[in-house]
Amino acid sequence: MEYVAILVIIFVAFYFFVHQRYLKQDTLKDSAYKKKGPLLNSKESAFYNALMAAVGQQGVVMSKVTMTKVITPKTTDKKPWFIANNRIAKSHFDFVVCDPRSLEVRVAIELDDGTPLNKGKVERQKLLMHVCKSAGIPLIGTTVKHSYQVGKLRRLLAAHIDLIEADKEVRFCKRCGSPMNIKTAAQGDYKGRRFFTCSRQPHCTYTENYNVVFDEE
Ligand SMILES: [Zn+2]
């Protein structure tokens, strides 16, 4: 009898302990919060401003975007989907540049803060390179020093996004001096990207990369 009584007392004590500790705390007002401070540290915000200047009206810059908002596992099988999603669940992109109309992510940018390589940093870089390659998102790695080099940033971005306003861009053929037309590549590696062709085609075959970005400095 005594043995049973002791067991009962233990169970009751355990129930009250759990109830006090875990179950009673589920009202919202028991959880208080404080602000964490600026979203970006000083280096990150310097870079953010440079990136905004480099992109101009041709894109929308967002920072610290959760990976799962941008990419999702290709598979539809439950278990592999869950595993693949778990790998990216806690990670973010430092910066992304989106299409200004559709807000679709066009390029991801990883800012190297200059701290020495450690295991965590290497793992993050491996993950970033893998997911970007897998999902077909161009990835640009930059350093804090590019915060002061808007022209360099524009050159890095120009390989991936159109930084030129088509209606303001007038170019003349460097071979014959005729005005040039803008065309869109229909196939090949550069499919969908724009380029300039000479208006005297086929008599003049000169073409030019749409996104030649000249240093402002
Ligand atoms: Zn020409």
Side-chain angles (χ1 to χ4, degrees):
M1 244 353 246
E2 257 177 40
Y3 179 68
V4 173
I6 289 169
L7 261 188
V8 168
I9 289 168
I10 289 172
F11 272 119
V12 170
F14 182 71
Y15 171 78
F16 276 107
F17 172 76
V18 168
H19 195 260
Q20 284 284 334
R21 183 74 201 264
Y22 298 106
L23 300 179
K24 265 197 159 174
Q25 282 189 356
D26 64 356
T27 60
L28 255 185
K29 78 175 195 284
D30 288 335
S31 306
Y33 301 93
K34 60 176 185 175
K35 282 198 281 185
K36 277 179 100 175
L39 277 177
L40 303 179
N41 65 34
S42 58
K43 282 176 179 174
E44 289 166 339
S45 54
F47 182 79
Y48 178 74
N49 286 323
L51 191 55
M52 295 246 285
V55 169
Q57 301 294 307
Q58 305 307 303
V60 173
V61 180
M62 296 199 190
S63 184
K64 308 221 163 153
V65 179
T66 312
M67 271 187 193
T68 51
K69 291 278 177 198
V70 181
I71 54 176
T72 190
K74 261 183 194 164
T75 177
T76 49
D77 293 339
K78 241 183 187 173
K79 201 181 168 197
W81 189 95
F82 191 76
I83 291 168
N85 198 60
N86 242 5
R87 287 190 204 284
I88 57 168
K90 285 182 184 158
S91 298
H92 67 270
F93 291 111
D94 280 351
F95 300 92
V96 293
V97 179
C98 307
D99 183 284
R101 283 164 290 267
S102 66
L103 291 183
E104 191 184 326
V105 170
R106 301 290 299 277
V107 53
I109 297 147
E110 173 77 356
L111 181 62
D112 187 339
D113 56 6
T115 57
L117 274 183
N118 57 31
K119 195 165 171 257
K121 199 166 165 179
V122 170
E123 288 299 312
R124 174 170 166 81
Q125 289 180 354
K126 268 193 205 163
L127 177 74
L128 263 176
M129 286 194 281
H130 173 74
V131 299
C132 285
K133 194 173 174 216
S134 175
I137 298 172
L139 174 67
I140 296 176
T142 64
T143 62
V144 177
K145 72 171 194 278
H146 288 146
S147 307
Y148 315 102
Q149 301 173 329
V150 172
K152 178 81 188 287
L153 268 180
R154 278 175 71 81
R155 278 203 304 275
L156 285 172
L157 288 164
H160 308 291
I161 57 172
D162 287 336
L163 291 173
I164 292 161
E165 291 167 73
D167 50 344
K168 290 185 190 162
E169 184 72 10
V170 179
R171 280 191 204 175
F172 296 94
C173 177
K174 294 206 172 44
R175 203 175 287 160
C176 71
S178 306
M180 297 188 84
N181 299 326
I182 296 171
K183 286 196 175 151
T184 305
Q187 55 195 16
D189 288 347
Y190 298 100
K191 189 181 173 190
R193 299 290 306 280
R194 289 182 278 190
F195 63 101
F196 285 92
T197 63
C198 180
S199 58
R200 280 186 60 240
Q201 262 196 338
H203 305 289
C204 175
T205 55
Y206 182 77
T207 62
E208 198 166 85
N209 180 357
Y210 185 78
N211 264 324
V212 176
V213 174
F214 300 97
D215 271 328
E216 282 115 14
E217 291 92 333

